[in-house]
Coordinates of all heavy atoms in Angstrom, one line a residue:
K15 N 36.7 60.0 139.8 CA 37.5 59.6 138.7 C 38.7 58.7 139.2 O 39.4 59.2 140.0 CB 38.1 60.8 137.9 CG 37.1 61.7 137.1 CD 37.7 62.9 136.5 CE 36.7 63.7 135.7 NZ 35.5 63.5 135.5
T16 N 38.6 57.5 138.8 CA 39.5 56.6 139.3 C 40.5 55.8 138.2 O 39.9 55.5 137.1 CB 38.7 55.5 140.1 OG1 38.0 55.9 141.1 CG2 39.5 54.4 140.6
A17 N 41.8 55.8 138.6 CA 42.7 55.2 137.7 C 43.1 53.9 138.4 O 43.2 53.8 139.6 CB 43.9 56.0 137.4
I18 N 43.5 52.9 137.6 CA 43.9 51.5 138.1 C 45.3 51.1 137.6 O 45.6 51.4 136.5 CB 42.9 50.5 137.6 CG1 41.4 50.8 138.0 CG2 43.3 49.1 138.2 CD1 40.5 49.8 137.3
L19 N 46.1 50.9 138.5 CA 47.5 50.4 138.3 C 47.6 49.0 138.3 O 47.2 48.3 139.3 CB 48.5 51.0 139.3 CG 48.5 52.6 139.6 CD1 49.6 53.0 140.6 CD2 48.6 53.3 138.3
I20 N 48.2 48.5 137.2 CA 48.5 47.0 137.1 C 49.8 46.7 136.8 O 50.6 47.5 136.3 CB 47.4 46.3 136.1 CG1 47.8 46.9 134.7 CG2 46.0 46.6 136.4 CD1 47.1 46.1 133.5
M27 N 41.4 44.4 137.9 CA 41.1 45.5 137.2 C 39.8 45.4 136.4 O 39.0 46.2 136.4 CB 42.1 45.8 136.2 CG 42.0 47.0 135.2 SD 41.2 46.4 133.7 CE 42.4 45.3 133.0
V31 N 36.4 47.7 136.5 CA 35.9 48.3 135.3 C 34.4 47.9 135.1 O 33.5 48.7 134.9 CB 36.8 48.0 134.1 CG1 35.9 48.4 132.8 CG2 38.1 48.5 134.1
E42 N 34.1 56.4 138.5 CA 34.3 56.2 137.0 C 35.8 55.8 136.8 O 36.7 56.5 137.2 CB 34.0 57.6 136.3 CG 34.4 57.7 135.0 CD 34.3 59.1 134.5 OE1 34.1 60.1 135.2 OE2 34.6 59.4 133.4
I43 N 36.0 54.8 136.0 CA 37.4 54.3 135.6 C 37.8 55.2 134.5 O 37.3 55.0 133.4 CB 37.4 52.9 135.4 CG1 36.8 52.0 136.5 CG2 38.9 52.5 135.1 CD1 37.4 52.2 137.9
V44 N 38.9 56.0 134.6 CA 39.3 56.9 133.7 C 40.6 56.3 133.0 O 41.0 57.0 132.0 CB 39.6 58.3 134.2 CG1 38.4 59.0 134.8 CG2 40.6 58.2 135.3
G45 N 41.2 55.3 133.5 CA 42.3 54.7 132.7 C 43.0 53.7 133.7 O 42.7 53.5 134.8
V46 N 43.7 52.9 132.9 CA 44.5 51.8 133.5 C 45.9 51.9 132.9 O 46.3 52.2 131.8 CB 44.0 50.4 132.8 CG1 45.0 49.3 133.3 CG2 42.6 50.1 133.4
I47 N 46.9 51.9 134.0 CA 48.3 52.1 133.7 C 49.1 50.9 134.2 O 48.8 50.4 135.3 CB 48.8 53.4 134.6 CG1 48.0 54.7 134.1 CG2 50.3 53.6 134.2 CD1 48.3 55.8 135.0
S48 N 50.0 50.4 133.3 CA 50.8 49.3 133.7 C 52.3 49.7 133.7 O 52.7 50.5 132.8 CB 50.6 48.1 132.7 OG 51.6 47.2 133.1
L56 N 46.4 45.0 129.9 CA 46.4 46.2 129.0 C 45.4 45.8 127.9 O 44.4 46.6 127.6 CB 47.7 46.5 128.5 CG 48.6 47.2 129.3 CD1 50.0 47.2 128.9 CD2 48.2 48.6 129.8
A59 N 41.8 45.8 129.3 CA 41.3 47.1 129.5 C 40.8 47.7 128.1 O 39.8 48.4 128.0 CB 42.3 48.0 130.1
K63 N 37.3 49.1 126.3 CA 37.2 50.6 125.9 C 37.6 51.6 127.0 O 37.2 52.7 127.1 CB 35.7 51.0 125.5 CG 35.0 50.0 124.5 CD 35.9 49.8 123.3 CE 35.1 48.9 122.2 NZ 35.9 48.5 121.1
V64 N 38.6 51.0 127.8 CA 39.1 51.9 128.8 C 40.5 52.4 128.4 O 41.4 51.7 127.9 CB 39.4 51.2 130.2 CG1 40.0 52.0 131.3 CG2 38.0 50.6 130.8
P65 N 40.8 53.8 128.5 CA 42.0 54.2 128.1 C 43.3 53.6 128.9 O 43.1 53.3 130.1 CB 42.0 55.7 128.4 CG 40.6 56.0 128.4 CD 39.9 54.8 128.9
T66 N 44.3 53.3 128.2 CA 45.5 52.6 128.8 C 46.8 53.4 128.5 O 46.8 54.2 127.6 CB 45.7 51.2 128.3 OG1 46.0 51.3 126.9 CG2 44.5 50.3 128.5
A67 N 47.7 53.2 129.4 CA 49.1 53.8 129.2 C 50.0 52.8 129.9 O 49.7 52.1 130.8 CB 49.1 55.2 130.0
Q87 N 51.2 60.9 134.3 CA 50.2 60.2 133.7 C 48.7 60.1 134.3 O 47.7 60.4 133.8 CB 50.6 58.7 133.5 CG 49.7 57.9 132.6 CD 49.5 58.4 131.2 OE1 50.4 58.6 130.4 NE2 48.2 58.6 130.9
L88 N 48.8 60.0 135.7 CA 47.6 60.0 136.5 C 47.0 61.3 136.3 O 45.8 61.5 136.2 CB 48.0 59.7 137.9 CG 48.2 58.2 138.1 CD1 48.9 58.0 139.5 CD2 47.0 57.2 138.1
M91 N 45.2 61.8 133.2 CA 43.8 61.1 133.2 C 42.9 61.8 134.2 O 41.7 61.3 134.2 CB 44.1 59.6 133.6 CG 44.9 58.8 132.5 SD 45.1 57.1 133.2 CE 45.7 56.4 131.6
E92 N 43.3 62.8 134.8 CA 42.4 63.5 135.8 C 42.0 62.6 136.9 O 40.9 62.8 137.4 CB 41.2 64.1 135.0 CG 41.6 65.2 134.2 CD 40.4 65.9 133.4 OE1 39.3 65.4 133.5 OE2 40.6 67.0 132.8
A93 N 42.8 61.7 137.2 CA 42.5 60.8 138.3 C 42.4 61.5 139.7 O 43.2 62.4 140.0 CB 43.6 59.7 138.4
L95 N 41.4 59.2 142.4 CA 41.7 58.0 143.3 C 42.4 57.0 142.4 O 42.2 56.8 141.2 CB 40.2 57.4 143.7 CG 40.3 56.2 144.4 CD1 41.0 56.4 145.8 CD2 38.8 55.8 144.6
V96 N 43.4 56.4 143.2 CA 44.2 55.3 142.4 C 44.0 54.0 143.1 O 44.0 53.9 144.4 CB 45.7 55.8 142.4 CG1 46.6 54.7 141.8 CG2 45.9 57.1 141.9
C97 N 43.8 52.9 142.4 CA 43.6 51.6 142.8 C 44.8 50.8 142.3 O 44.9 50.5 141.1 CB 42.4 51.0 142.3 SG 40.8 51.7 142.9

Side-chain angles (χ1 to χ4, degrees):
K15 295 182 180 349
T16 301
I18 305 171
L19 305 183
I20 67 169
M27 174 275 296
V31 170
E42 169 195 2
I43 307 303
V44 295
V46 171
I47 305 170
S48 175
L56 289 168
K63 312 299 183 194
V64 177
T66 61
Q87 182 59 58
L88 287 165
M91 292 174 167
E92 299 182 344
L95 174 63
V96 179
C97 294

